[in-house]
Amino acid sequence: LSKVNWTHKTHCPQNRPVTRAVIHMGPHKTGSTTIQEFAHHHIDLLRKDGYEMPEVDNAEKNARGKTVSSSNHVRLATCFVDPIVEDVRTIYPCDPDRLLHGLDLAAKGHNVFITAETLDKIDREGIEMLKSYLSHWIDVTIMIFYRRYYDWLPSVFNEIHKGRRLVQQEKWEESIVDFLFQYSESYHRLHVVSLFNRLQQKFKKENIVLLDYHDKQTKGPEENLFCNMPNAAHMCNATRFIDTSTSNPSANLDYSDLAYGAKKEGLISIPDDRKMAQVAESIERYHKSNLNARKFERVCPSSSIL
């Protein structure tokens, strides 16, 4: 961040019009991708509401070759994340030009909407830096979603394991119980409660909007966010009348788990990922057609793990 001039083009008269910055911080697995895709496809409506987004024109690929929506401001967000603690800076390097683009928008009197679930990794020092950056706008609103901890953690587990390859044996052997036992403490700091507690040490409570991920009165996270976002009537109406699909949905791992279990017991040969997918699909068809998709019995982790 040494390359960034934090006073870049900020000499404005005292009677300048009120400018607003809205920062959506996720956290992960609370519908962020759906929100980002919706914003990307309806940037014209966002602009009608008076908001701009830094760098919305081009999608890019991260260091692993995965395409990232241009509406996910991850390379702006990582500028505020500790590079020593978080390896996300390696995958998505901080881009000072994006910070400067945001400051240019502020200098021109534009409102800004920034969305990046990577900000759930921000520590106290990063929050202090973010607060300094956001001081270039008069009104600041931070929006985060609350998702119940033991509903959120399985979703995190699913995200980590749904793209597993057959050669990644550790991802097939690790159960949700193993995951809870080993990683619940490290992931706890990414949960919204921990994030909220860190944020309110630097920001006033009235600047932080806590949204209910489980709200049944909204169609999804995009309606929940944009209909609670200041002065975003066009985006709010769009979420209610334009059909949207969930981006980055969870995957049912049960069928591939059963296929892997059969392979492990020597009941079937599964030499590659293609065959694994075929076997899992066959199990799913049988389950739905012959067993009426009866729910599998679940074993709850012990209270000592929970």
Side-chain angles (χ1 to χ4, degrees):
L1 293 179
S2 60
K3 297 180 181 178
V4 178
N5 177 4
W6 295 95
T7 60
H8 179 73
K9 296 184 180 179
T10 57
H11 303 292
C12 300
Q14 292 184 350
N15 61 347
R16 60 176 176 162
V18 175
T19 55
R20 177 176 289 111
V22 175
I23 316 299
H24 165 236
M25 291 189 173
H28 280 81
K29 305 313 298 173
T30 56
S32 299
T33 305
T34 299
I35 290 168
Q36 290 154 7
E37 291 295 332
F38 193 87
H40 177 69
H41 291 302
H42 303 288
I43 183 63
D44 56 329
L45 296 179
L46 194 64
R47 285 171 174 155
K48 283 185 178 181
D49 287 325
Y51 289 94
E52 294 287 342
M53 289 196 296
E55 305 292 337
V56 299
D57 293 329
N58 297 303
E60 62 176 313
K61 291 188 177 181
N62 65 21
R64 294 176 181 172
K66 180 181 177 181
T67 299
V68 182
S69 169
S70 57
S71 295
N72 183 339
H73 304 117
V74 61
R75 291 191 61 197
L76 184 151
T78 53
C79 298
F80 302 98
V81 173
D82 188 342
I84 298 176
V85 177
E86 304 292 350
D87 64 356
V88 68
R89 286 280 291 268
T90 302
I91 305 169
Y92 302 102
C94 164
D95 184 359
D97 287 339
R98 298 182 186 234
L99 293 173
L100 294 175
H101 185 202
L103 295 180
D104 280 336
L105 292 173
K108 294 174 182 176
H110 292 303
N111 300 330
V112 68
F113 174 60
I114 296 172
T115 169
E117 64 272 35
T118 301
L119 285 168
D120 64 7
K121 300 176 183 291
I122 198 168
D123 61 12
R124 290 182 179 85
E125 183 179 353
I127 292 172
E128 185 66 50
M129 293 165 57
L130 179 63
K131 183 179 180 180
S132 176
Y133 181 75
L134 295 177
S135 67
H136 293 83
W137 290 268
I138 295 176
D139 186 72
V140 173
T141 301
I142 296 173
M143 307 186 78
I144 52 178
F145 278 88
Y146 169 77
R147 184 173 183 177
R148 299 184 194 103
Y149 187 61
Y150 287 111
D151 182 64
W152 174 75
L153 266 182
S155 183
V156 173
F157 174 85
N158 188 282
E159 178 69 20
I160 293 171
H161 290 77
K162 68 182 181 181
R164 59 192 174 182
R165 307 291 298 275
L166 201 54
V167 295
Q168 297 172 304
Q169 184 176 358
E170 71 284 354
K171 287 191 176 183
W172 292 91
E173 295 289 343
E174 182 180 56
S175 69
I176 182 67
V177 178
D178 298 328
F179 176 78
L180 289 174
F181 185 75
Q182 295 180 42
Y183 301 112
S184 60
E185 284 193 20
S186 60
Y187 276 97
H188 186 271
R189 67 179 297 273
L190 303 182
H191 188 248
V192 64
V193 174
S194 179
L195 176 61
F196 178 81
N197 288 335
R198 295 197 303 275
L199 287 170
Q200 69 174 352
Q201 293 179 15
K202 298 295 181 181
F203 290 94
K204 296 179 180 179
K205 285 187 177 181
E206 54 263 34
N207 295 117
I208 307 171
V209 176
L210 193 61
L211 302 170
D212 184 4
Y213 177 83
H214 308 279
D215 186 356
K216 301 297 183 182
Q217 297 183 351
T218 59
K219 188 169 63 175
E222 68 279 17
E223 180 182 347
N224 201 341
L225 183 130
F226 288 115
C227 291
N228 285 287
M229 181 169 155
N231 298 339
H234 291 92
M235 289 295 284
C236 176
N237 289 332
T239 64
R240 291 171 173 169
F241 297 106
I242 298 176
D243 290 332
T244 58
S245 57
T246 301
S247 302
N248 193 27
S250 294
N252 189 329
L253 303 179
D254 291 338
Y255 304 112
S256 56
D257 280 341
L258 287 170
Y260 181 77
K263 174 184 181 300
K264 190 176 178 180
E265 293 297 321
L267 301 176
I268 188 172
S269 173
I270 303 180
D272 53 38
D273 294 309
R274 182 170 175 271
K275 182 66 174 178
M276 173 61 77
Q278 292 174 345
V279 173
E281 289 171 5
S282 297
I283 296 173
E284 182 177 8
R285 284 196 300 270
Y286 181 85
H287 181 228
K288 291 180 177 179
S289 60
N290 295 68
L291 302 176
N292 298 319
R294 187 172 67 241
K295 290 186 177 181
F296 295 112
E297 183 179 350
R298 306 290 177 181
V299 179
C300 189
S302 67
S303 59
S304 63
I305 295 177
L306 299 177

